[in-house]
Amino acid sequence: MDEYMSTVRVWGLSCPGFPEEVSRARRWTRDILRGSPLTDDAELIVSELSANAILHTASGCESGSFHLAMAVSAQVVAVSVTDDGGGRTAPKVNRVEHQDQDGEHGRGLGMVSALAHRVVIHESHASHTVTAELFTDEHPSGFPC
């Protein structure tokens, strides 16, 4: 990632809804952010959101897919995952659930929320998009993040 970027750069990736595509999404994230201190957090966020799309929505059905977008500037990395909708419930970052501590599921969005500086969920009749923003230490002068 070029530390002297003055504009936002945007990438996109569409993946079939197969579990092995989550590792492809992680590699894609790592390749784009190579050298950034935000790489590990962004990769984990993409992994969680991609897995959630496959496990909990129509993205994991036979003809399903999920879509990633990443916007990178000197101040922020924003990663979005859009699913095919059709889940039992919409994703909710602020929903507190009492989960079995030994359970294998139920903590992904909480982890995303803990890693990201901001998480935004957009719902439509056909899909959900979860966007996680990670801020760098380089804030524009005069504008606190």
Side-chain angles (χ1 to χ4, degrees):
M1 187 170 78
D2 187 349
E3 63 185 281
Y4 299 107
M5 278 190 297
S6 61
T7 61
V8 176
R9 299 185 74 193
V10 179
W11 291 264
L13 177 69
S14 293
C15 299
F18 304 128
E20 58 270 17
E21 292 298 313
V22 174
S23 64
R24 178 178 171 212
R26 284 194 307 263
R27 283 190 312 274
W28 177 80
T29 302
R30 196 172 46 246
D31 288 346
I32 291 170
L33 295 176
R34 188 174 315 275
S36 168
L38 300 175
T39 302
D40 291 342
D41 288 348
E43 183 181 353
L44 184 54
I45 288 169
V46 164
S47 181
E48 285 297 322
L49 295 180
S50 299
N52 282 352
I54 292 169
L55 291 171
H56 302 296
T57 74
S59 292
C61 295
E62 185 176 329
S63 62
S65 61
F66 63 98
H67 311 278
L68 296 100
M70 184 179 313
V72 179
S73 74
Q75 292 82 30
V76 66
V77 171
V79 293
S80 298
V81 175
T82 301
D83 62 41
D84 284 345
R88 292 180 299 275
T89 60
K92 299 208 183 322
V93 173
N94 61 354
R95 181 176 59 201
V96 177
E97 296 182 29
H98 299 286
Q99 295 288 328
D100 176 4
Q101 294 300 316
D102 296 326
E104 294 181 22
H105 302 288
R107 293 180 290 275
L109 281 178
M111 183 171 44
V112 168
S113 183
L115 289 172
H117 292 95
R118 184 167 78 152
V119 177
V120 178
I121 298 172
H122 294 280
E123 299 177 53
S124 74
H125 68 284
S127 66
H128 310 103
T129 299
V130 180
T131 301
E133 298 175 352
L134 299 164
F135 300 136
T136 68
D137 292 333
E138 301 176 33
H139 303 298
S141 60
F143 297 100
C145 288

Short mmCIF file of all heavy atoms in Angstrom, two decimals, residues 39-110:
data_model
loop_
_atom_site.label_atom_id
_atom_site.label_comp_id
_atom_site.label_asym_id
_atom_site.label_seq_id
_atom_site.Cartn_x
_atom_site.Cartn_y
_atom_site.Cartn_z
N THR A 39 -3.40 -4.76 7.83
CA THR A 39 -3.61 -5.97 7.05
C THR A 39 -4.24 -7.09 7.87
O THR A 39 -5.23 -7.70 7.46
CB THR A 39 -2.30 -6.46 6.41
OG1 THR A 39 -1.79 -5.42 5.59
CG2 THR A 39 -2.51 -7.71 5.58
N ASP A 40 -3.68 -7.41 9.02
CA ASP A 40 -4.17 -8.54 9.82
C ASP A 40 -5.62 -8.34 10.25
O ASP A 40 -6.44 -9.25 10.14
CB ASP A 40 -3.29 -8.77 11.04
CG ASP A 40 -1.90 -9.29 10.68
OD1 ASP A 40 -1.72 -9.81 9.55
OD2 ASP A 40 -1.01 -9.18 11.53
N ASP A 41 -5.94 -7.14 10.74
CA ASP A 41 -7.31 -6.87 11.17
C ASP A 41 -8.28 -6.92 10.00
O ASP A 41 -9.36 -7.51 10.10
CB ASP A 41 -7.42 -5.51 11.87
CG ASP A 41 -6.78 -5.50 13.25
OD1 ASP A 41 -6.46 -6.59 13.78
OD2 ASP A 41 -6.60 -4.40 13.81
N ALA A 42 -7.91 -6.33 8.87
CA ALA A 42 -8.78 -6.34 7.70
C ALA A 42 -9.00 -7.76 7.19
O ALA A 42 -10.11 -8.14 6.82
CB ALA A 42 -8.20 -5.47 6.60
N GLU A 43 -7.94 -8.56 7.20
CA GLU A 43 -8.05 -9.95 6.74
C GLU A 43 -9.00 -10.74 7.64
O GLU A 43 -9.83 -11.51 7.15
CB GLU A 43 -6.66 -10.59 6.73
CG GLU A 43 -6.64 -11.99 6.20
CD GLU A 43 -5.25 -12.60 6.23
OE1 GLU A 43 -4.26 -11.90 6.54
OE2 GLU A 43 -5.16 -13.80 5.93
N LEU A 44 -8.90 -10.56 8.94
CA LEU A 44 -9.79 -11.26 9.86
C LEU A 44 -11.24 -10.80 9.68
O LEU A 44 -12.17 -11.61 9.68
CB LEU A 44 -9.34 -11.03 11.31
CG LEU A 44 -10.11 -11.78 12.39
CD1 LEU A 44 -10.15 -13.27 12.11
CD2 LEU A 44 -9.50 -11.50 13.74
N ILE A 45 -11.44 -9.51 9.49
CA ILE A 45 -12.79 -8.98 9.27
C ILE A 45 -13.39 -9.57 7.99
O ILE A 45 -14.54 -10.03 7.98
CB ILE A 45 -12.76 -7.44 9.23
CG1 ILE A 45 -12.52 -6.90 10.65
CG2 ILE A 45 -14.05 -6.88 8.63
CD1 ILE A 45 -12.20 -5.41 10.70
N VAL A 46 -12.63 -9.57 6.91
CA VAL A 46 -13.11 -10.13 5.65
C VAL A 46 -13.45 -11.61 5.80
O VAL A 46 -14.46 -12.10 5.30
CB VAL A 46 -12.09 -9.90 4.52
CG1 VAL A 46 -12.36 -10.79 3.31
CG2 VAL A 46 -12.08 -8.44 4.11
N SER A 47 -12.61 -12.32 6.53
CA SER A 47 -12.86 -13.74 6.76
C SER A 47 -14.18 -13.96 7.50
O SER A 47 -15.00 -14.79 7.10
CB SER A 47 -11.69 -14.33 7.56
OG SER A 47 -11.88 -15.70 7.78
N GLU A 48 -14.40 -13.22 8.57
CA GLU A 48 -15.63 -13.37 9.35
C GLU A 48 -16.87 -12.99 8.55
O GLU A 48 -17.87 -13.71 8.56
CB GLU A 48 -15.56 -12.50 10.61
CG GLU A 48 -14.67 -13.06 11.69
CD GLU A 48 -15.15 -14.40 12.21
OE1 GLU A 48 -16.38 -14.61 12.34
OE2 GLU A 48 -14.30 -15.25 12.50
N LEU A 49 -16.80 -11.86 7.85
CA LEU A 49 -17.98 -11.41 7.10
C LEU A 49 -18.27 -12.33 5.92
O LEU A 49 -19.44 -12.60 5.62
CB LEU A 49 -17.77 -9.97 6.62
CG LEU A 49 -17.66 -8.91 7.73
CD1 LEU A 49 -17.45 -7.53 7.11
CD2 LEU A 49 -18.88 -8.93 8.64
N SER A 50 -17.24 -12.84 5.25
CA SER A 50 -17.44 -13.77 4.14
C SER A 50 -18.04 -15.09 4.63
O SER A 50 -18.97 -15.62 4.02
CB SER A 50 -16.12 -14.03 3.42
OG SER A 50 -15.60 -12.84 2.88
N ALA A 51 -17.51 -15.60 5.73
CA ALA A 51 -18.04 -16.85 6.30
C ALA A 51 -19.49 -16.67 6.74
O ALA A 51 -20.33 -17.54 6.50
CB ALA A 51 -17.18 -17.30 7.47
N ASN A 52 -19.81 -15.52 7.34
CA ASN A 52 -21.20 -15.26 7.74
C ASN A 52 -22.12 -15.23 6.52
O ASN A 52 -23.24 -15.76 6.58
CB ASN A 52 -21.30 -13.92 8.48
CG ASN A 52 -20.85 -14.01 9.91
OD1 ASN A 52 -20.57 -15.10 10.43
ND2 ASN A 52 -20.74 -12.87 10.56
N ALA A 53 -21.67 -14.63 5.43
CA ALA A 53 -22.49 -14.58 4.22
C ALA A 53 -22.81 -15.99 3.73
O ALA A 53 -23.95 -16.29 3.37
CB ALA A 53 -21.77 -13.78 3.13
N ILE A 54 -21.81 -16.86 3.74
CA ILE A 54 -22.00 -18.22 3.25
C ILE A 54 -22.86 -19.05 4.22
O ILE A 54 -23.72 -19.81 3.81
CB ILE A 54 -20.64 -18.90 3.02
CG1 ILE A 54 -19.93 -18.23 1.85
CG2 ILE A 54 -20.81 -20.39 2.77
CD1 ILE A 54 -18.49 -18.64 1.70
N LEU A 55 -22.63 -18.88 5.51
CA LEU A 55 -23.33 -19.70 6.50
C LEU A 55 -24.76 -19.27 6.78
O LEU A 55 -25.60 -20.10 7.10
CB LEU A 55 -22.55 -19.69 7.82
CG LEU A 55 -21.22 -20.42 7.84
CD1 LEU A 55 -20.48 -20.14 9.14
CD2 LEU A 55 -21.43 -21.91 7.65
N HIS A 56 -25.04 -17.98 6.69
CA HIS A 56 -26.32 -17.47 7.20
C HIS A 56 -27.23 -16.84 6.17
O HIS A 56 -28.28 -16.32 6.53
CB HIS A 56 -26.05 -16.45 8.31
CG HIS A 56 -25.26 -17.00 9.45
ND1 HIS A 56 -25.73 -18.03 10.26
CD2 HIS A 56 -24.02 -16.70 9.90
CE1 HIS A 56 -24.81 -18.32 11.17
NE2 HIS A 56 -23.76 -17.54 10.97
N THR A 57 -26.84 -16.85 4.89
CA THR A 57 -27.69 -16.23 3.87
C THR A 57 -27.75 -17.11 2.63
O THR A 57 -27.08 -18.15 2.54
CB THR A 57 -27.17 -14.83 3.46
OG1 THR A 57 -26.01 -14.97 2.64
CG2 THR A 57 -26.85 -13.97 4.68
N ALA A 58 -28.52 -16.64 1.65
CA ALA A 58 -28.63 -17.37 0.38
C ALA A 58 -27.31 -17.41 -0.38
O ALA A 58 -27.19 -18.16 -1.36
CB ALA A 58 -29.72 -16.73 -0.48
N SER A 59 -26.32 -16.67 0.04
CA SER A 59 -25.01 -16.73 -0.61
C SER A 59 -24.43 -18.13 -0.56
O SER A 59 -23.67 -18.52 -1.45
CB SER A 59 -24.03 -15.75 0.06
OG SER A 59 -24.42 -14.43 -0.18
N GLY A 60 -24.76 -18.90 0.47
CA GLY A 60 -24.23 -20.24 0.61
C GLY A 60 -25.03 -21.30 -0.13
O GLY A 60 -24.68 -22.48 -0.09
N CYS A 61 -26.09 -20.91 -0.83
CA CYS A 61 -26.88 -21.86 -1.61
C CYS A 61 -26.16 -22.20 -2.91
O CYS A 61 -25.16 -21.58 -3.27
CB CYS A 61 -28.25 -21.27 -1.92
SG CYS A 61 -29.26 -21.02 -0.44
N GLU A 62 -26.70 -23.16 -3.62
CA GLU A 62 -26.04 -23.70 -4.81
C GLU A 62 -25.61 -22.62 -5.81
O GLU A 62 -24.50 -22.66 -6.33
CB GLU A 62 -26.95 -24.70 -5.51
CG GLU A 62 -26.30 -25.39 -6.68
CD GLU A 62 -27.20 -26.44 -7.27
OE1 GLU A 62 -27.98 -27.04 -6.53
OE2 GLU A 62 -27.09 -26.66 -8.49
N SER A 63 -26.43 -21.65 -6.09
CA SER A 63 -26.06 -20.62 -7.06
C SER A 63 -25.73 -19.29 -6.39
O SER A 63 -25.68 -18.25 -7.04
CB SER A 63 -27.19 -20.43 -8.08
OG SER A 63 -28.34 -19.98 -7.40
N GLY A 64 -25.46 -19.33 -5.09
CA GLY A 64 -25.20 -18.10 -4.34
C GLY A 64 -23.80 -17.55 -4.56
O GLY A 64 -22.91 -18.22 -5.07
N SER A 65 -23.65 -16.30 -4.14
CA SER A 65 -22.35 -15.64 -4.21
C SER A 65 -22.29 -14.55 -3.16
O SER A 65 -23.31 -14.21 -2.56
CB SER A 65 -22.12 -15.05 -5.61
OG SER A 65 -23.10 -14.07 -5.89
N PHE A 66 -21.11 -14.03 -2.94
CA PHE A 66 -20.94 -12.86 -2.09
C PHE A 66 -19.94 -11.95 -2.76
O PHE A 66 -19.15 -12.37 -3.60
CB PHE A 66 -20.53 -13.23 -0.65
CG PHE A 66 -19.21 -13.93 -0.53
CD1 PHE A 66 -18.05 -13.24 -0.20
CD2 PHE A 66 -19.11 -15.30 -0.74
CE1 PHE A 66 -16.83 -13.88 -0.07
CE2 PHE A 66 -17.89 -15.96 -0.62
CZ PHE A 66 -16.75 -15.25 -0.28
N HIS A 67 -20.01 -10.68 -2.41
CA HIS A 67 -19.22 -9.68 -3.11
C HIS A 67 -18.46 -8.83 -2.10
O HIS A 67 -19.01 -8.43 -1.07
CB HIS A 67 -20.12 -8.81 -3.98
CG HIS A 67 -21.03 -9.64 -4.82
ND1 HIS A 67 -20.64 -10.20 -6.01
CD2 HIS A 67 -22.31 -10.05 -4.61
CE1 HIS A 67 -21.64 -10.92 -6.50
NE2 HIS A 67 -22.65 -10.85 -5.66
N LEU A 68 -17.19 -8.59 -2.40
CA LEU A 68 -16.36 -7.78 -1.53
C LEU A 68 -15.99 -6.48 -2.23
O LEU A 68 -15.82 -6.45 -3.45
CB LEU A 68 -15.06 -8.52 -1.20
CG LEU A 68 -15.23 -9.80 -0.40
CD1 LEU A 68 -15.14 -10.99 -1.31
CD2 LEU A 68 -14.17 -9.87 0.66
N ALA A 69 -15.85 -5.44 -1.44
CA ALA A 69 -15.34 -4.17 -1.92
C ALA A 69 -14.37 -3.66 -0.87
O ALA A 69 -14.57 -3.86 0.33
CB ALA A 69 -16.46 -3.17 -2.14
N MET A 70 -13.30 -3.02 -1.33
CA MET A 70 -12.34 -2.42 -0.41
C MET A 70 -11.99 -1.04 -0.94
O MET A 70 -11.65 -0.88 -2.11
CB MET A 70 -11.08 -3.27 -0.29
CG MET A 70 -10.12 -2.71 0.75
SD MET A 70 -8.60 -3.67 0.97
CE MET A 70 -9.19 -5.32 1.09
N ALA A 71 -12.09 -0.06 -0.06
CA ALA A 71 -11.67 1.30 -0.38
C ALA A 71 -10.52 1.65 0.55
O ALA A 71 -10.63 1.46 1.77
CB ALA A 71 -12.83 2.27 -0.20
N VAL A 72 -9.44 2.15 -0.02
CA VAL A 72 -8.24 2.43 0.76
C VAL A 72 -7.79 3.86 0.48
O VAL A 72 -7.66 4.28 -0.67
CB VAL A 72 -7.09 1.46 0.38
CG1 VAL A 72 -5.83 1.77 1.16
CG2 VAL A 72 -7.52 0.02 0.60
N SER A 73 -7.58 4.60 1.55
CA SER A 73 -6.97 5.93 1.46
C SER A 73 -5.88 6.00 2.51
O SER A 73 -5.65 5.05 3.26
CB SER A 73 -8.02 7.02 1.69
OG SER A 73 -8.36 7.10 3.06
N ALA A 74 -5.24 7.13 2.62
CA ALA A 74 -4.20 7.29 3.64
C ALA A 74 -4.79 7.28 5.04
O ALA A 74 -4.08 7.00 6.01
CB ALA A 74 -3.43 8.59 3.40
N GLN A 75 -6.08 7.55 5.18
CA GLN A 75 -6.70 7.64 6.50
C GLN A 75 -7.56 6.44 6.89
O GLN A 75 -7.80 6.20 8.07
CB GLN A 75 -7.60 8.89 6.59
CG GLN A 75 -6.86 10.19 6.55
CD GLN A 75 -6.52 10.61 5.13
OE1 GLN A 75 -7.23 10.29 4.20
NE2 GLN A 75 -5.41 11.31 4.97
N VAL A 76 -8.06 5.69 5.92
CA VAL A 76 -9.01 4.64 6.24
C VAL A 76 -8.93 3.48 5.25
O VAL A 76 -8.61 3.67 4.09
CB VAL A 76 -10.46 5.20 6.29
CG1 VAL A 76 -10.92 5.65 4.92
CG2 VAL A 76 -11.45 4.21 6.88
N VAL A 77 -9.20 2.29 5.79
CA VAL A 77 -9.44 1.11 4.98
C VAL A 77 -10.87 0.68 5.29
O VAL A 77 -11.21 0.45 6.46
CB VAL A 77 -8.46 -0.04 5.32
CG1 VAL A 77 -8.87 -1.32 4.63
CG2 VAL A 77 -7.04 0.35 4.97
N ALA A 78 -11.71 0.64 4.26
CA ALA A 78 -13.09 0.21 4.44
C ALA A 78 -13.30 -1.07 3.64
O ALA A 78 -13.03 -1.11 2.44
CB ALA A 78 -14.05 1.29 3.96
N VAL A 79 -13.75 -2.13 4.32
CA VAL A 79 -14.04 -3.39 3.65
C VAL A 79 -15.52 -3.67 3.79
O VAL A 79 -16.11 -3.50 4.86
CB VAL A 79 -13.20 -4.56 4.21
CG1 VAL A 79 -11.74 -4.37 3.90
CG2 VAL A 79 -13.39 -4.73 5.70
N SER A 80 -16.13 -4.07 2.68
CA SER A 80 -17.57 -4.38 2.66
C SER A 80 -17.77 -5.76 2.09
O SER A 80 -17.11 -6.15 1.13
CB SER A 80 -18.32 -3.38 1.78
OG SER A 80 -18.21 -2.08 2.28
N VAL A 81 -18.72 -6.49 2.68
CA VAL A 81 -19.14 -7.77 2.14
C VAL A 81 -20.65 -7.70 1.96
O VAL A 81 -21.39 -7.36 2.89
CB VAL A 81 -18.76 -8.95 3.07
CG1 VAL A 81 -19.31 -10.26 2.53
CG2 VAL A 81 -17.24 -9.04 3.22
N THR A 82 -21.09 -8.00 0.73
CA THR A 82 -22.52 -8.01 0.41
C THR A 82 -22.93 -9.44 0.14
O THR A 82 -22.29 -10.14 -0.65
CB THR A 82 -22.79 -7.13 -0.83
OG1 THR A 82 -22.36 -5.80 -0.55
CG2 THR A 82 -24.28 -7.13 -1.17
N ASP A 83 -24.01 -9.86 0.80
CA ASP A 83 -24.50 -11.23 0.63
C ASP A 83 -25.73 -11.22 -0.28
O ASP A 83 -26.18 -10.17 -0.73
CB ASP A 83 -24.79 -11.88 1.98
CG ASP A 83 -25.87 -11.17 2.78
OD1 ASP A 83 -26.89 -10.75 2.19
OD2 ASP A 83 -25.72 -11.05 4.01
N ASP A 84 -26.28 -12.40 -0.52
CA ASP A 84 -27.45 -12.56 -1.37
C ASP A 84 -28.76 -12.46 -0.60
O ASP A 84 -29.82 -12.75 -1.14
CB ASP A 84 -27.41 -13.90 -2.10
CG ASP A 84 -26.43 -13.91 -3.26
OD1 ASP A 84 -26.00 -12.81 -3.68
OD2 ASP A 84 -26.11 -15.00 -3.75
N GLY A 85 -28.70 -12.08 0.68
CA GLY A 85 -29.92 -11.95 1.48
C GLY A 85 -30.53 -13.30 1.80
O GLY A 85 -29.89 -14.35 1.68
N GLY A 86 -31.76 -13.27 2.25
CA GLY A 86 -32.46 -14.51 2.52
C GLY A 86 -32.13 -15.16 3.85
O GLY A 86 -32.55 -16.27 4.11
N GLY A 87 -31.39 -14.49 4.71
CA GLY A 87 -31.04 -15.05 6.00
C GLY A 87 -32.22 -15.03 6.95
O GLY A 87 -33.21 -14.32 6.75
N ARG A 88 -32.13 -15.81 7.98
CA ARG A 88 -33.21 -15.86 8.97
C ARG A 88 -33.37 -14.52 9.67
O ARG A 88 -34.47 -14.08 9.95
CB ARG A 88 -32.93 -16.96 9.99
CG ARG A 88 -33.00 -18.36 9.38
CD ARG A 88 -32.71 -19.42 10.43
NE ARG A 88 -31.39 -19.30 11.01
CZ ARG A 88 -30.28 -19.80 10.49
NH1 ARG A 88 -30.32 -20.45 9.36
NH2 ARG A 88 -29.13 -19.65 11.10
N THR A 89 -32.27 -13.87 9.97
CA THR A 89 -32.31 -12.55 10.60
C THR A 89 -31.22 -11.70 9.98
O THR A 89 -30.21 -12.21 9.52
CB THR A 89 -32.07 -12.62 12.12
OG1 THR A 89 -30.78 -13.20 12.36
CG2 THR A 89 -33.13 -13.45 12.82
N ALA A 90 -31.44 -10.41 9.98
CA ALA A 90 -30.43 -9.49 9.45
C ALA A 90 -29.27 -9.40 10.42
O ALA A 90 -29.45 -9.55 11.63
CB ALA A 90 -31.05 -8.11 9.24
N PRO A 91 -28.07 -9.15 9.94
CA PRO A 91 -26.93 -8.99 10.83
C PRO A 91 -27.12 -7.78 11.74
O PRO A 91 -27.61 -6.74 11.30
CB PRO A 91 -25.74 -8.80 9.90
CG PRO A 91 -26.28 -8.63 8.53
CD PRO A 91 -27.71 -8.97 8.54
N LYS A 92 -26.77 -7.92 13.00
CA LYS A 92 -26.88 -6.82 13.95
C LYS A 92 -25.62 -6.81 14.80
O LYS A 92 -25.39 -7.70 15.59
CB LYS A 92 -28.10 -6.98 14.82
CG LYS A 92 -29.40 -6.98 14.02
CD LYS A 92 -30.54 -6.49 14.83
CE LYS A 92 -31.85 -6.52 14.12
NZ LYS A 92 -31.88 -6.20 12.73
N VAL A 93 -24.82 -5.79 14.64
CA VAL A 93 -23.56 -5.69 15.37
C VAL A 93 -23.80 -5.45 16.84
O VAL A 93 -23.10 -5.98 17.70
CB VAL A 93 -22.68 -4.57 14.77
CG1 VAL A 93 -21.44 -4.35 15.62
CG2 VAL A 93 -22.28 -4.92 13.36
N ASN A 94 -24.80 -4.67 17.18
CA ASN A 94 -24.99 -4.29 18.58
C ASN A 94 -25.86 -5.28 19.35
O ASN A 94 -26.18 -5.04 20.50
CB ASN A 94 -25.59 -2.89 18.66
CG ASN A 94 -26.94 -2.79 17.99
OD1 ASN A 94 -27.39 -3.73 17.36
ND2 ASN A 94 -27.56 -1.64 18.12
N ARG A 95 -26.26 -6.37 18.73
CA ARG A 95 -27.08 -7.36 19.42
C ARG A 95 -26.20 -8.16 20.38
O ARG A 95 -25.22 -8.78 19.97
CB ARG A 95 -27.74 -8.29 18.41
CG ARG A 95 -28.62 -9.33 19.07
CD ARG A 95 -29.34 -10.16 18.05
NE ARG A 95 -28.38 -10.83 17.20
CZ ARG A 95 -28.65 -11.30 15.99
NH1 ARG A 95 -29.85 -11.14 15.49
NH2 ARG A 95 -27.73 -11.91 15.29
N VAL A 96 -26.55 -8.13 21.65
CA VAL A 96 -25.80 -8.88 22.65
C VAL A 96 -26.52 -10.19 22.89
O VAL A 96 -27.68 -10.21 23.26
CB VAL A 96 -25.68 -8.08 23.97
CG1 VAL A 96 -24.95 -8.91 25.01
CG2 VAL A 96 -24.98 -6.77 23.72
N GLU A 97 -25.83 -11.26 22.64
CA GLU A 97 -26.40 -12.58 22.85
C GLU A 97 -25.60 -13.30 23.91
O GLU A 97 -24.40 -13.16 24.00
CB GLU A 97 -26.36 -13.40 21.56
CG GLU A 97 -27.21 -12.81 20.45
CD GLU A 97 -27.17 -13.68 19.22
OE1 GLU A 97 -26.99 -14.90 19.36
OE2 GLU A 97 -27.33 -13.13 18.14
N HIS A 98 -26.29 -14.07 24.70
CA HIS A 98 -25.62 -14.90 25.70
C HIS A 98 -25.30 -16.23 25.03
O HIS A 98 -26.16 -17.07 24.84
CB HIS A 98 -26.52 -15.09 26.92
CG HIS A 98 -26.85 -13.79 27.58
ND1 HIS A 98 -25.94 -13.10 28.33
CD2 HIS A 98 -27.96 -13.03 27.55
CE1 HIS A 98 -26.47 -11.98 28.77
NE2 HIS A 98 -27.71 -11.91 28.30
N GLN A 99 -24.06 -16.38 24.62
CA GLN A 99 -23.63 -17.56 23.91
C GLN A 99 -22.89 -18.50 24.85
O GLN A 99 -22.24 -18.06 25.79
CB GLN A 99 -22.69 -17.16 22.77
CG GLN A 99 -23.33 -16.33 21.69
CD GLN A 99 -24.29 -17.15 20.86
OE1 GLN A 99 -24.09 -18.35 20.65
NE2 GLN A 99 -25.34 -16.52 20.39
N ASP A 100 -22.98 -19.76 24.52
CA ASP A 100 -22.18 -20.76 25.21
C ASP A 100 -20.71 -20.43 24.93
O ASP A 100 -20.30 -20.32 23.78
CB ASP A 100 -22.55 -22.14 24.66
CG ASP A 100 -21.71 -23.26 25.22
OD1 ASP A 100 -20.86 -23.01 26.10
OD2 ASP A 100 -21.91 -24.40 24.79
N GLN A 101 -19.91 -20.26 25.97
CA GLN A 101 -18.51 -19.89 25.80
C GLN A 101 -17.72 -20.92 25.00
O GLN A 101 -16.70 -20.61 24.41
CB GLN A 101 -17.85 -19.68 27.17
CG GLN A 101 -18.41 -18.49 27.92
CD GLN A 101 -18.22 -17.20 27.14
OE1 GLN A 101 -17.16 -16.95 26.58
NE2 GLN A 101 -19.25 -16.38 27.09
N ASP A 102 -18.19 -22.17 24.99
CA ASP A 102 -17.52 -23.21 24.24
C ASP A 102 -18.12 -23.41 22.85
O ASP A 102 -17.67 -24.24 22.09
CB ASP A 102 -17.57 -24.54 25.00
CG ASP A 102 -16.81 -24.47 26.31
OD1 ASP A 102 -15.78 -23.75 26.35
OD2 ASP A 102 -17.24 -25.11 27.29
N GLY A 103 -19.15 -22.63 22.51
CA GLY A 103 -19.82 -22.74 21.22
C GLY A 103 -18.90 -22.31 20.08
O GLY A 103 -17.96 -21.54 20.27
N GLU A 104 -19.20 -22.83 18.90
CA GLU A 104 -18.37 -22.53 17.74
C GLU A 104 -18.88 -21.34 16.94
O GLU A 104 -18.19 -20.84 16.07
CB GLU A 104 -18.32 -23.75 16.82
CG GLU A 104 -17.60 -24.93 17.44
CD GLU A 104 -17.55 -26.11 16.49
OE1 GLU A 104 -17.69 -25.91 15.28
OE2 GLU A 104 -17.39 -27.24 16.97
N HIS A 105 -20.10 -20.87 17.20
CA HIS A 105 -20.70 -19.81 16.40
C HIS A 105 -21.25 -18.71 17.30
O HIS A 105 -21.46 -18.91 18.49
CB HIS A 105 -21.84 -20.37 15.54
CG HIS A 105 -21.40 -21.46 14.63
ND1 HIS A 105 -20.63 -21.23 13.52
CD2 HIS A 105 -21.63 -22.79 14.66
CE1 HIS A 105 -20.40 -22.37 12.90
NE2 HIS A 105 -20.98 -23.33 13.58
N GLY A 106 -21.50 -17.54 16.71
CA GLY A 106 -22.23 -16.51 17.41
C GLY A 106 -21.43 -15.31 17.86
O GLY A 106 -21.97 -14.39 18.43
N ARG A 107 -20.13 -15.29 17.60
CA ARG A 107 -19.33 -14.16 18.07
C ARG A 107 -18.65 -13.38 16.95
O ARG A 107 -17.92 -12.44 17.19
CB ARG A 107 -18.28 -14.66 19.06
CG ARG A 107 -18.89 -15.18 20.35
CD ARG A 107 -17.82 -15.67 21.31
NE ARG A 107 -17.18 -16.88 20.85
CZ ARG A 107 -17.64 -18.11 21.05
NH1 ARG A 107 -18.77 -18.29 21.68
NH2 ARG A 107 -16.98 -19.15 20.62
N GLY A 108 -18.89 -13.72 15.69
CA GLY A 108 -18.19 -13.12 14.57
C GLY A 108 -18.41 -11.63 14.43
O GLY A 108 -17.45 -10.86 14.31
N LEU A 109 -19.67 -11.18 14.43
CA LEU A 109 -19.92 -9.75 14.28
C LEU A 109 -19.44 -8.97 15.49
O LEU A 109 -19.01 -7.82 15.36
CB LEU A 109 -21.40 -9.47 14.01
CG LEU A 109 -21.85 -9.73 12.58
CD1 LEU A 109 -23.35 -9.48 12.44
CD2 LEU A 109 -21.08 -8.90 11.59
N GLY A 110 -19.47 -9.56 16.66
CA GLY A 110 -18.93 -8.90 17.84
C GLY A 110 -17.42 -8.70 17.71
O GLY A 110 -16.89 -7.66 18.07
#
